[in-house]
Amino acid sequence: MIDFRLDEEYEALRKTVEDFARSEVAPVIGEFYERAEFPYQLVAKMGQMGLFGLPFPESVGGMGGDYFALCLALEELARVDSSVAITLEAGVSLGAMPLYRFGNEEQRQRWLPRLCSGAGLGAFGLTEPGGGSDAGATRTTAKIVDGEWVINGSKAFITNSGTEITELVTVTAVTGEKPNGHKEISAIIVPAGTPGFTVAPKYSKVGWNASDTRELAFADCRVPAENLLGERGRGYAQFLSILDEGRVAIAAVSVGLAQGCIDECLRYVGERETFGNKIGSYQAIQFKIADMEARTHTARLAYYQAAAKMLRGEPFKKEAAIAKLVASNAAMDNSREATQIFGGYGFMNEFPVGRFYRDAKILEVGEGTSEVQRMLISRELGVGA
């Protein structure tokens, strides 16, 4: 029998995170956002709740849950604020997950307990200033010299890479040439504070203002040879698989933002009056909210299905791309409509919908643009193959 209801454990988690987001995040996040300040106190509380360890086993300091549990937490956080949601998403799916998926036992035991506790954050250095969606155009290099990797190059738009609690950045680098002439790309763990590893000042961003995003530079940065993550020459393939999972997580964040727009609008249309009537009595407003609900409902089902296939060990690349595409579109459309419903107030940062509008756009770009998602979907369908 098909049943889309959450079981008791998932529902308990969802409700716990919802309560935290409403009572702890909502009252203060606007001030952090305005100051473009990283919310260390909130991140610490999220760590104490076990959110950073949700999909990892207890043997490495995790909570013994699964990736769907993480997605539920992300959705509830993003209903209130996307900065804290993306801090969790990047810390888990991009920072810690590569270590869990591809690290050896020593690497796992060294790094994962602190990352799972939220005491430390990991980051994922893939994108480069001239690379964008073309991750295969990696120019950062790493060569073995006297038993150490010597890394040179730069990375751009890297989340969680410059906080006071950042522990490491895993970077992709060209480590040689394959027999077919293509670049050999490997993944290498670079601990924070390593000489030759420079973190630039944080970007001035349109949205996600309470999250940490930086450009990174490597100038003869040396790390031990054993900091290779996974198999040499498999770094690009490893991270492509990580991105498939990450797209499901970004879809969950997008659904949360889209739902948050609905939540705010339902409150507002029951209070705001024009021409002597509550604006919720006007069919134009009713239809806008109905469309918002339909988009969000559809997007939620899409990421639920992608997560279900992932947990069953079935191929889910197409479903992840669909979920990310549909959900990010829903977030962008809902935030635009919410801002319209709020009118002039929607343009003010003191109202959540103003933040939602600013935060939504990057969801159509990060972890694969909407165009990349369409490429993946059509490729999986055999179009143009």
Side-chain angles (χ1 to χ4, degrees):
M1 182 179 68
I2 298 175
D3 188 349
F4 292 100
R5 292 174 298 180
L6 299 177
D7 66 24
E8 290 184 6
E9 189 171 349
Y10 284 138
E11 177 57 26
L13 170 67
R14 189 206 64 75
K15 186 64 170 61
T16 297
V17 180
E18 179 188 26
D19 292 344
F20 168 74
R22 298 292 178 196
S23 63
E24 302 279 348
V25 179
V28 301
I29 196 60
E31 296 178 8
F32 283 103
Y33 198 97
E34 284 293 293
R35 297 192 301 265
E37 179 182 339
F38 189 79
Y40 288 101
Q41 303 95 318
L42 295 176
V43 171
K45 290 179 180 179
M46 288 158 61
Q48 293 164 7
M49 293 170 65
L51 300 188
F52 286 92
L54 275 175
F56 302 107
E58 295 178 4
S59 61
V60 294
M63 298 295 290
D66 57 33
Y67 209 90
F68 183 58
L70 170 66
C71 289
L72 291 174
L74 292 171
E75 180 182 343
E76 291 304 323
L77 289 172
R79 284 178 70 176
V80 169
D81 177 71
S82 291
S83 291
V84 293
I86 204 61
T87 297
L88 176 62
E89 190 277 335
V92 175
S93 70
L94 300 180
M97 193 59 74
L99 288 161
Y100 177 67
R101 293 274 188 242
F102 309 113
N104 57 40
E105 191 59 25
E106 190 279 331
Q107 290 169 337
R108 288 182 175 184
Q109 293 301 326
R110 177 183 177 185
W111 299 109
L112 284 177
R114 280 184 59 80
L115 299 186
C116 288
S117 72
L121 291 174
F124 171 101
L126 176 66
T127 302
E128 298 194 357
S133 297
D134 184 8
T138 300
R139 294 182 180 178
T140 298
T141 63
K143 299 179 180 179
I144 287 288
V145 179
D146 298 328
E148 294 181 312
W149 290 107
V150 180
I151 307 171
N152 286 281
S154 62
K155 300 291 179 179
F157 314 127
I158 309 305
T159 305
N160 292 345
S161 58
T163 74
E164 295 174 4
I165 58 174
T166 298
E167 300 264 317
L168 61 92
V169 178
T170 302
V171 300
T172 51
V174 178
T175 53
E177 186 176 291
K178 294 182 177 181
N180 61 7
H182 293 170
K183 295 176 180 178
E184 175 192 86
I185 298 177
S186 305
I188 300 169
I189 303 168
V190 181
T194 300
F197 172 26
T198 303
V199 180
K202 58 189 176 183
Y203 290 106
S204 175
K205 298 177 293 186
V206 171
W208 287 0
N209 285 356
S211 71
D212 180 82
T213 317
R214 315 265 182 153
E215 185 168 341
L216 314 178
F218 303 90
D220 291 332
C221 175
R222 292 174 173 262
V223 298
E226 55 266 29
N227 280 28
L228 177 71
L229 180 65
E231 183 182 342
R232 178 169 176 167
R234 293 286 297 166
Y236 184 44
Q238 290 170 186
F239 281 121
L240 285 180
S241 68
I242 290 294
L243 287 175
D244 285 338
E245 297 180 355
R247 284 168 184 142
V248 182
I250 290 294
V253 172
S254 300
V255 168
L257 190 153
Q259 183 65 55
C261 289
I262 297 170
D263 296 341
E264 294 300 322
C265 286
L266 289 176
R267 280 193 286 270
Y268 186 71
V269 302
E271 300 169 355
R272 173 69 166 156
E273 291 187 4
T274 60
F275 306 105
N277 297 301
K278 297 285 177 60
I279 64 172
S281 66
Y282 298 120
Q283 193 176 68
I285 299 296
Q286 295 167 7
F287 281 12
K288 283 183 182 294
I289 294 177
D291 286 342
M292 292 165 69
E293 176 70 12
R295 291 188 201 104
T296 306
H297 177 77
T298 302
R300 183 177 292 111
L301 292 178
Y303 99 69
Y304 274 27
Q305 186 201 20
K309 294 196 74 172
M310 180 202 310
L311 295 185
R312 291 196 299 266
E314 299 173 5
F316 67 99
K317 182 183 291 291
K318 181 182 71 174
E319 287 75 15
I322 290 172
K324 204 271 186 181
L325 177 64
V326 170
S328 61
N329 285 345
M332 192 70 236
D333 290 343
N334 279 19
S335 67
R336 183 179 60 251
E337 294 287 30
T339 303
Q340 191 73 13
I341 289 171
F342 271 69
Y345 293 114
F347 205 61
M348 301 295 113
N349 285 326
E350 64 186 277
F351 288 87
V353 295
R355 298 200 309 270
F356 292 164
Y357 188 49
R358 293 168 65 179
D359 290 339
K361 182 57 193 175
I362 191 60
L363 295 167
E364 296 184 312
V365 177
E367 297 202 32
T369 64
S370 295
E371 291 74 19
V372 166
Q373 306 315 312
R374 292 182 174 97
M375 287 168 51
L376 292 171
I377 295 165
S378 60
R379 189 178 301 159
E380 288 295 303
L381 292 172
V383 178

